[in-house]
Structure formats: structure tokens, C-alpha cells
Short mmCIF file of all heavy atoms in Angstrom, two decimals:
data_model
loop_
_atom_site.label_atom_id
_atom_site.label_comp_id
_atom_site.label_asym_id
_atom_site.label_seq_id
_atom_site.Cartn_x
_atom_site.Cartn_y
_atom_site.Cartn_z
N MET A 1 0.82 -1.20 0.00
CA MET A 1 0.00 0.00 0.00
C MET A 1 0.87 1.26 0.00
O MET A 1 0.47 2.27 -0.56
CB MET A 1 -0.93 -0.03 1.21
CG MET A 1 -2.00 1.00 1.17
SD MET A 1 -3.15 0.65 -0.14
CE MET A 1 -4.30 1.93 0.12
N ASP A 2 2.02 1.20 0.67
CA ASP A 2 2.90 2.37 0.68
C ASP A 2 3.40 2.70 -0.70
O ASP A 2 3.57 3.87 -1.03
CB ASP A 2 4.08 2.15 1.62
CG ASP A 2 3.70 2.31 3.08
OD1 ASP A 2 2.62 2.87 3.34
OD2 ASP A 2 4.47 1.88 3.94
N LEU A 3 3.65 1.71 -1.53
CA LEU A 3 4.12 1.96 -2.89
C LEU A 3 3.07 2.73 -3.67
O LEU A 3 3.40 3.68 -4.39
CB LEU A 3 4.45 0.65 -3.60
CG LEU A 3 4.97 0.79 -5.02
CD1 LEU A 3 6.27 1.58 -5.04
CD2 LEU A 3 5.16 -0.57 -5.65
N LEU A 4 1.82 2.38 -3.52
CA LEU A 4 0.74 3.10 -4.19
C LEU A 4 0.67 4.55 -3.70
O LEU A 4 0.51 5.48 -4.50
CB LEU A 4 -0.60 2.41 -3.96
CG LEU A 4 -1.82 3.06 -4.59
CD1 LEU A 4 -1.68 3.06 -6.11
CD2 LEU A 4 -3.07 2.33 -4.17
N ARG A 5 0.83 4.76 -2.40
CA ARG A 5 0.80 6.13 -1.87
C ARG A 5 1.98 6.95 -2.37
O ARG A 5 1.84 8.14 -2.63
CB ARG A 5 0.80 6.09 -0.35
CG ARG A 5 -0.51 5.66 0.22
CD ARG A 5 -0.52 5.78 1.72
NE ARG A 5 -1.78 5.29 2.24
CZ ARG A 5 -1.90 4.58 3.33
NH1 ARG A 5 -0.84 4.29 4.05
NH2 ARG A 5 -3.08 4.16 3.72
N ILE A 6 3.14 6.32 -2.50
CA ILE A 6 4.31 7.04 -3.01
C ILE A 6 4.10 7.42 -4.48
O ILE A 6 4.45 8.53 -4.89
CB ILE A 6 5.59 6.21 -2.81
CG1 ILE A 6 5.93 6.18 -1.33
CG2 ILE A 6 6.75 6.79 -3.61
CD1 ILE A 6 7.09 5.30 -0.96
N ILE A 7 3.52 6.54 -5.26
CA ILE A 7 3.22 6.86 -6.66
C ILE A 7 2.25 8.03 -6.73
O ILE A 7 2.42 8.96 -7.52
CB ILE A 7 2.69 5.62 -7.40
CG1 ILE A 7 3.79 4.59 -7.55
CG2 ILE A 7 2.12 6.00 -8.77
CD1 ILE A 7 3.33 3.24 -8.05
N VAL A 8 1.21 8.01 -5.90
CA VAL A 8 0.25 9.11 -5.86
C VAL A 8 0.95 10.39 -5.41
O VAL A 8 0.68 11.48 -5.94
CB VAL A 8 -0.93 8.78 -4.93
CG1 VAL A 8 -1.80 9.99 -4.66
CG2 VAL A 8 -1.77 7.67 -5.53
N ALA A 9 1.89 10.28 -4.46
CA ALA A 9 2.61 11.45 -3.95
C ALA A 9 3.49 12.08 -5.03
O ALA A 9 3.66 13.30 -5.04
CB ALA A 9 3.45 11.07 -2.75
N VAL A 10 4.02 11.28 -5.92
CA VAL A 10 4.84 11.84 -7.00
C VAL A 10 3.95 12.57 -8.02
O VAL A 10 4.33 13.62 -8.53
CB VAL A 10 5.67 10.73 -7.67
CG1 VAL A 10 6.34 11.23 -8.94
CG2 VAL A 10 6.71 10.19 -6.70
N ILE A 11 2.79 12.02 -8.28
CA ILE A 11 1.88 12.64 -9.25
C ILE A 11 1.21 13.88 -8.65
O ILE A 11 1.15 14.94 -9.27
CB ILE A 11 0.83 11.62 -9.73
CG1 ILE A 11 1.52 10.49 -10.47
CG2 ILE A 11 -0.21 12.29 -10.61
CD1 ILE A 11 0.64 9.30 -10.76
N LEU A 12 0.67 13.74 -7.45
CA LEU A 12 -0.03 14.84 -6.78
C LEU A 12 0.30 14.80 -5.28
O LEU A 12 -0.37 14.10 -4.50
CB LEU A 12 -1.54 14.70 -7.01
CG LEU A 12 -2.41 15.87 -6.60
CD1 LEU A 12 -2.04 17.12 -7.37
CD2 LEU A 12 -3.86 15.54 -6.84
N PRO A 13 1.36 15.50 -4.87
CA PRO A 13 1.85 15.39 -3.49
C PRO A 13 0.81 15.61 -2.38
O PRO A 13 0.77 14.83 -1.43
CB PRO A 13 2.96 16.43 -3.43
CG PRO A 13 3.42 16.58 -4.83
CD PRO A 13 2.20 16.38 -5.68
N PRO A 14 -0.05 16.64 -2.45
CA PRO A 14 -1.00 16.81 -1.35
C PRO A 14 -1.97 15.62 -1.19
O PRO A 14 -2.36 15.29 -0.07
CB PRO A 14 -1.76 18.08 -1.72
CG PRO A 14 -0.81 18.85 -2.56
CD PRO A 14 -0.08 17.80 -3.35
N LEU A 15 -2.32 14.98 -2.28
CA LEU A 15 -3.22 13.82 -2.17
C LEU A 15 -2.53 12.68 -1.45
O LEU A 15 -3.13 12.00 -0.63
CB LEU A 15 -3.69 13.38 -3.57
CG LEU A 15 -4.63 12.19 -3.59
CD1 LEU A 15 -5.90 12.47 -2.79
CD2 LEU A 15 -4.97 11.82 -5.02
N GLY A 16 -1.26 12.46 -1.74
CA GLY A 16 -0.50 11.41 -1.05
C GLY A 16 -0.43 11.66 0.45
O GLY A 16 -0.59 10.74 1.25
N VAL A 17 -0.20 12.91 0.83
CA VAL A 17 -0.15 13.25 2.25
C VAL A 17 -1.54 13.14 2.87
O VAL A 17 -1.68 12.63 3.99
CB VAL A 17 0.43 14.67 2.46
CG1 VAL A 17 0.34 15.10 3.91
CG2 VAL A 17 1.87 14.72 1.97
N PHE A 18 -2.56 13.56 2.16
CA PHE A 18 -3.93 13.46 2.68
C PHE A 18 -4.30 12.00 2.95
O PHE A 18 -4.92 11.69 3.97
CB PHE A 18 -4.91 14.08 1.70
CG PHE A 18 -6.34 13.91 2.11
CD1 PHE A 18 -6.87 14.68 3.13
CD2 PHE A 18 -7.16 12.97 1.49
CE1 PHE A 18 -8.20 14.52 3.53
CE2 PHE A 18 -8.47 12.81 1.88
CZ PHE A 18 -9.00 13.59 2.90
N LEU A 19 -3.94 11.10 2.05
CA LEU A 19 -4.24 9.69 2.26
C LEU A 19 -3.52 9.12 3.47
O LEU A 19 -4.00 8.17 4.09
CB LEU A 19 -3.86 8.88 1.01
CG LEU A 19 -4.70 9.15 -0.23
CD1 LEU A 19 -4.12 8.39 -1.43
CD2 LEU A 19 -6.15 8.76 -0.01
N GLU A 20 -2.39 9.71 3.82
CA GLU A 20 -1.61 9.22 4.95
C GLU A 20 -2.06 9.82 6.28
O GLU A 20 -2.21 9.11 7.26
CB GLU A 20 -0.13 9.51 4.72
CG GLU A 20 0.79 8.90 5.73
CD GLU A 20 0.88 7.40 5.64
OE1 GLU A 20 0.72 6.83 4.54
OE2 GLU A 20 1.10 6.77 6.69
N VAL A 21 -2.27 11.15 6.32
CA VAL A 21 -2.52 11.81 7.61
C VAL A 21 -3.85 12.54 7.69
O VAL A 21 -4.21 13.04 8.76
CB VAL A 21 -1.38 12.79 7.95
CG1 VAL A 21 -0.08 12.06 8.13
CG2 VAL A 21 -1.26 13.88 6.92
N GLY A 22 -4.57 12.66 6.61
CA GLY A 22 -5.85 13.38 6.64
C GLY A 22 -5.62 14.88 6.62
O GLY A 22 -4.60 15.37 6.16
N LEU A 23 -6.59 15.63 7.12
CA LEU A 23 -6.51 17.10 7.12
C LEU A 23 -5.75 17.61 8.35
O LEU A 23 -6.32 18.25 9.23
CB LEU A 23 -7.91 17.71 7.09
CG LEU A 23 -8.64 17.62 5.77
CD1 LEU A 23 -10.07 18.13 5.92
CD2 LEU A 23 -7.91 18.36 4.68
N SER A 24 -4.48 17.31 8.39
CA SER A 24 -3.66 17.74 9.52
C SER A 24 -2.75 18.89 9.10
O SER A 24 -2.80 19.37 7.97
CB SER A 24 -2.82 16.58 10.04
OG SER A 24 -1.85 16.24 9.08
N ARG A 25 -1.91 19.31 10.02
CA ARG A 25 -0.96 20.37 9.74
C ARG A 25 0.00 19.98 8.62
O ARG A 25 0.40 20.80 7.81
CB ARG A 25 -0.19 20.69 11.01
CG ARG A 25 0.62 21.96 10.93
CD ARG A 25 1.48 22.07 12.13
NE ARG A 25 2.59 21.17 11.83
CZ ARG A 25 3.71 21.10 12.51
NH1 ARG A 25 3.86 21.80 13.57
NH2 ARG A 25 4.67 20.30 12.16
N GLN A 26 0.37 18.71 8.56
CA GLN A 26 1.28 18.22 7.53
C GLN A 26 0.67 18.36 6.13
O GLN A 26 1.37 18.66 5.17
CB GLN A 26 1.66 16.76 7.78
CG GLN A 26 2.45 16.55 9.05
CD GLN A 26 3.79 17.25 9.00
OE1 GLN A 26 4.41 17.36 7.96
NE2 GLN A 26 4.23 17.74 10.15
N PHE A 27 -0.62 18.16 6.02
CA PHE A 27 -1.31 18.31 4.74
C PHE A 27 -1.22 19.75 4.25
O PHE A 27 -0.89 20.01 3.09
CB PHE A 27 -2.77 17.88 4.88
CG PHE A 27 -3.62 18.19 3.68
CD1 PHE A 27 -3.49 17.46 2.52
CD2 PHE A 27 -4.55 19.23 3.71
CE1 PHE A 27 -4.27 17.75 1.40
CE2 PHE A 27 -5.32 19.52 2.61
CZ PHE A 27 -5.19 18.77 1.45
N TRP A 28 -1.51 20.71 5.13
CA TRP A 28 -1.47 22.12 4.74
C TRP A 28 -0.05 22.56 4.44
O TRP A 28 0.17 23.37 3.53
CB TRP A 28 -2.11 22.98 5.83
CG TRP A 28 -3.55 22.64 5.99
CD1 TRP A 28 -4.13 22.01 7.04
CD2 TRP A 28 -4.60 22.87 5.04
NE1 TRP A 28 -5.47 21.85 6.81
CE2 TRP A 28 -5.79 22.36 5.59
CE3 TRP A 28 -4.64 23.46 3.79
CZ2 TRP A 28 -7.01 22.43 4.92
CZ3 TRP A 28 -5.86 23.53 3.12
CH2 TRP A 28 -7.02 23.01 3.70
N LEU A 29 0.92 22.06 5.18
CA LEU A 29 2.32 22.35 4.89
C LEU A 29 2.70 21.84 3.51
O LEU A 29 3.40 22.50 2.75
CB LEU A 29 3.23 21.75 5.96
CG LEU A 29 4.73 21.91 5.74
CD1 LEU A 29 5.11 23.38 5.71
CD2 LEU A 29 5.48 21.15 6.80
N ASN A 30 2.21 20.66 3.16
CA ASN A 30 2.52 20.09 1.85
C ASN A 30 1.89 20.91 0.73
O ASN A 30 2.51 21.09 -0.32
CB ASN A 30 2.08 18.63 1.77
CG ASN A 30 2.57 17.99 0.52
OD1 ASN A 30 1.87 17.97 -0.48
ND2 ASN A 30 3.79 17.49 0.57
N ILE A 31 0.69 21.40 0.93
CA ILE A 31 0.08 22.27 -0.08
C ILE A 31 0.94 23.52 -0.28
O ILE A 31 1.20 23.92 -1.42
CB ILE A 31 -1.37 22.64 0.30
CG1 ILE A 31 -2.26 21.42 0.10
CG2 ILE A 31 -1.87 23.81 -0.54
CD1 ILE A 31 -3.69 21.64 0.46
N LEU A 32 1.40 24.11 0.80
CA LEU A 32 2.25 25.29 0.70
C LEU A 32 3.55 24.97 -0.03
O LEU A 32 3.97 25.70 -0.93
CB LEU A 32 2.55 25.84 2.09
CG LEU A 32 3.49 27.04 2.14
CD1 LEU A 32 2.83 28.25 1.48
CD2 LEU A 32 3.86 27.35 3.57
N LEU A 33 4.19 23.87 0.32
CA LEU A 33 5.43 23.48 -0.34
C LEU A 33 5.21 23.18 -1.82
O LEU A 33 6.05 23.52 -2.67
CB LEU A 33 6.04 22.26 0.35
CG LEU A 33 6.67 22.52 1.71
CD1 LEU A 33 7.02 21.21 2.39
CD2 LEU A 33 7.88 23.42 1.59
N THR A 34 4.10 22.56 -2.16
CA THR A 34 3.80 22.26 -3.55
C THR A 34 3.56 23.53 -4.35
O THR A 34 3.97 23.63 -5.49
CB THR A 34 2.59 21.31 -3.65
OG1 THR A 34 2.87 20.12 -2.90
CG2 THR A 34 2.32 20.92 -5.08
N LEU A 35 2.92 24.51 -3.73
CA LEU A 35 2.70 25.78 -4.42
C LEU A 35 4.00 26.55 -4.62
O LEU A 35 4.17 27.25 -5.62
CB LEU A 35 1.70 26.64 -3.64
CG LEU A 35 0.26 26.14 -3.66
CD1 LEU A 35 -0.59 27.00 -2.74
CD2 LEU A 35 -0.30 26.13 -5.06
N LEU A 36 4.91 26.42 -3.67
CA LEU A 36 6.20 27.10 -3.78
C LEU A 36 7.13 26.41 -4.78
O LEU A 36 8.03 27.04 -5.32
CB LEU A 36 6.87 27.20 -2.41
CG LEU A 36 6.17 28.12 -1.42
CD1 LEU A 36 6.84 28.03 -0.05
CD2 LEU A 36 6.15 29.55 -1.92
N GLY A 37 6.92 25.14 -4.97
CA GLY A 37 7.74 24.37 -5.90
C GLY A 37 7.31 22.92 -5.87
O GLY A 37 7.09 22.35 -4.80
N TYR A 38 7.20 22.33 -7.00
CA TYR A 38 6.66 20.96 -7.09
C TYR A 38 7.59 19.96 -6.39
O TYR A 38 7.12 19.07 -5.68
CB TYR A 38 6.48 20.60 -8.57
CG TYR A 38 5.75 19.32 -8.81
CD1 TYR A 38 4.42 19.19 -8.46
CD2 TYR A 38 6.40 18.23 -9.38
CE1 TYR A 38 3.75 18.01 -8.69
CE2 TYR A 38 5.74 17.05 -9.61
CZ TYR A 38 4.41 16.94 -9.27
OH TYR A 38 3.75 15.77 -9.48
N ILE A 39 8.90 20.12 -6.57
CA ILE A 39 9.86 19.17 -6.01
C ILE A 39 9.84 19.18 -4.47
O ILE A 39 9.83 18.10 -3.87
CB ILE A 39 11.29 19.45 -6.54
CG1 ILE A 39 11.32 19.32 -8.07
CG2 ILE A 39 12.32 18.53 -5.90
CD1 ILE A 39 10.96 17.94 -8.59
N PRO A 40 9.83 20.32 -3.79
CA PRO A 40 9.73 20.28 -2.33
C PRO A 40 8.46 19.58 -1.84
O PRO A 40 8.48 18.90 -0.82
CB PRO A 40 9.74 21.75 -1.91
CG PRO A 40 10.41 22.45 -3.02
CD PRO A 40 10.04 21.70 -4.26
N GLY A 41 7.36 19.73 -2.57
CA GLY A 41 6.13 19.04 -2.20
C GLY A 41 6.27 17.54 -2.31
O GLY A 41 5.79 16.79 -1.46
N ILE A 42 6.94 17.08 -3.36
CA ILE A 42 7.16 15.64 -3.55
C ILE A 42 8.06 15.09 -2.44
O ILE A 42 7.76 14.05 -1.85
CB ILE A 42 7.78 15.35 -4.93
CG1 ILE A 42 6.77 15.64 -6.03
CG2 ILE A 42 8.25 13.90 -5.02
CD1 ILE A 42 7.35 15.52 -7.42
N VAL A 43 9.14 15.80 -2.16
CA VAL A 43 10.07 15.34 -1.12
C VAL A 43 9.37 15.25 0.23
O VAL A 43 9.51 14.25 0.95
CB VAL A 43 11.30 16.28 -1.04
CG1 VAL A 43 12.16 15.97 0.17
CG2 VAL A 43 12.11 16.19 -2.33
N HIS A 44 8.59 16.25 0.55
CA HIS A 44 7.87 16.24 1.83
C HIS A 44 6.85 15.10 1.87
O HIS A 44 6.73 14.40 2.87
CB HIS A 44 7.18 17.59 2.04
CG HIS A 44 6.39 17.66 3.30
ND1 HIS A 44 5.02 17.57 3.31
CD2 HIS A 44 6.78 17.80 4.59
CE1 HIS A 44 4.61 17.66 4.57
NE2 HIS A 44 5.65 17.80 5.36
N ALA A 45 6.12 14.90 0.79
CA ALA A 45 5.11 13.84 0.75
C ALA A 45 5.74 12.46 0.90
O ALA A 45 5.25 11.63 1.67
CB ALA A 45 4.31 13.92 -0.55
N VAL A 46 6.83 12.22 0.20
CA VAL A 46 7.50 10.91 0.30
C VAL A 46 8.05 10.73 1.71
O VAL A 46 7.99 9.63 2.28
CB VAL A 46 8.59 10.77 -0.78
CG1 VAL A 46 9.45 9.55 -0.54
CG2 VAL A 46 7.96 10.72 -2.16
N TYR A 47 8.58 11.79 2.30
CA TYR A 47 9.08 11.71 3.68
C TYR A 47 7.95 11.34 4.65
O TYR A 47 8.13 10.47 5.51
CB TYR A 47 9.71 13.03 4.08
CG TYR A 47 10.05 13.10 5.55
CD1 TYR A 47 11.13 12.39 6.06
CD2 TYR A 47 9.27 13.84 6.43
CE1 TYR A 47 11.42 12.44 7.40
CE2 TYR A 47 9.56 13.89 7.77
CZ TYR A 47 10.64 13.19 8.27
OH TYR A 47 10.92 13.22 9.60
N ILE A 48 6.81 11.98 4.52
CA ILE A 48 5.68 11.70 5.41
C ILE A 48 5.21 10.26 5.26
O ILE A 48 4.94 9.57 6.24
CB ILE A 48 4.51 12.68 5.14
CG1 ILE A 48 4.90 14.10 5.51
CG2 ILE A 48 3.24 12.26 5.86
CD1 ILE A 48 5.20 14.29 6.99
N ILE A 49 5.15 9.77 4.03
CA ILE A 49 4.68 8.41 3.79
C ILE A 49 5.70 7.39 4.28
O ILE A 49 5.34 6.39 4.91
CB ILE A 49 4.36 8.21 2.29
CG1 ILE A 49 3.16 9.06 1.93
CG2 ILE A 49 4.10 6.75 1.99
CD1 ILE A 49 2.92 9.18 0.43
N ALA A 50 6.98 7.63 4.03
CA ALA A 50 8.02 6.68 4.43
C ALA A 50 8.24 6.67 5.94
O ALA A 50 8.66 5.65 6.49
CB ALA A 50 9.32 7.01 3.72
N ARG A 51 7.95 7.78 6.59
CA ARG A 51 8.14 7.89 8.04
C ARG A 51 7.21 6.97 8.81
O ARG A 51 7.56 6.44 9.85
CB ARG A 51 7.89 9.34 8.46
CG ARG A 51 8.24 9.61 9.89
CD ARG A 51 7.94 11.02 10.25
NE ARG A 51 6.47 11.11 10.37
CZ ARG A 51 5.79 12.22 10.54
NH1 ARG A 51 6.43 13.36 10.57
NH2 ARG A 51 4.50 12.22 10.65
N ARG A 52 6.03 6.75 8.33
CA ARG A 52 5.04 5.95 9.07
C ARG A 52 5.18 4.49 8.79
O ARG A 52 5.20 3.91 7.88
CB ARG A 52 3.64 6.43 8.74
CG ARG A 52 3.46 7.80 9.27
CD ARG A 52 2.02 8.24 9.15
NE ARG A 52 1.93 9.58 9.68
CZ ARG A 52 1.17 9.90 10.70
NH1 ARG A 52 0.45 9.01 11.28
NH2 ARG A 52 1.14 11.13 11.13
#
């Protein structure tokens, strides 16, 4: 299941984080990072998914 979430995180980082943690602070941080740059959003999303 984590592999599927990582694939989703690469395509759309906030969705990957949402599937992992829901509407938490990490989700909103990921939206901000994705808006500032796509790569930081991906890195953050993969980190959140791999951490759990």
C-alpha cells in the first residue's frame, strides 16, 4: 500500500499526504510546499509516507 501512496505522492503530493494523515498540519504544509515548488512538495510527501 505504501508503494501506491508514493506513486500518488509523485503525481499529486497533497493527495498522497492526505491519504496518509488526513486534514492535519502536515497536509497544509505540503500544499504550501507544492505551491512554492513541485519538487519540495514531492520530497515532503515521500518523507511523510516513508516515516510511518
Side-chain angles (χ1 to χ4, degrees):
M1 191 68 177
D2 283 344
L3 181 61
L4 179 63
R5 286 186 183 140
I6 289 175
I7 292 170
V8 169
V10 170
I11 296 169
L12 190 61
L15 181 59
V17 173
F18 175 76
L19 292 174
E20 187 69 30
V21 297
L23 286 174
S24 68
R25 192 188 79 169
Q26 295 296 326
F27 171 73
W28 297 110
L29 176 61
N30 189 267
I31 287 179
L32 177 65
L33 287 171
T34 302
L35 290 174
L36 292 174
Y38 189 66
I39 300 299
I42 291 174
V43 171
H44 179 256
V46 170
Y47 171 74
I48 294 297
I49 293 168
R51 188 182 75 187
R52 293 189 180 240

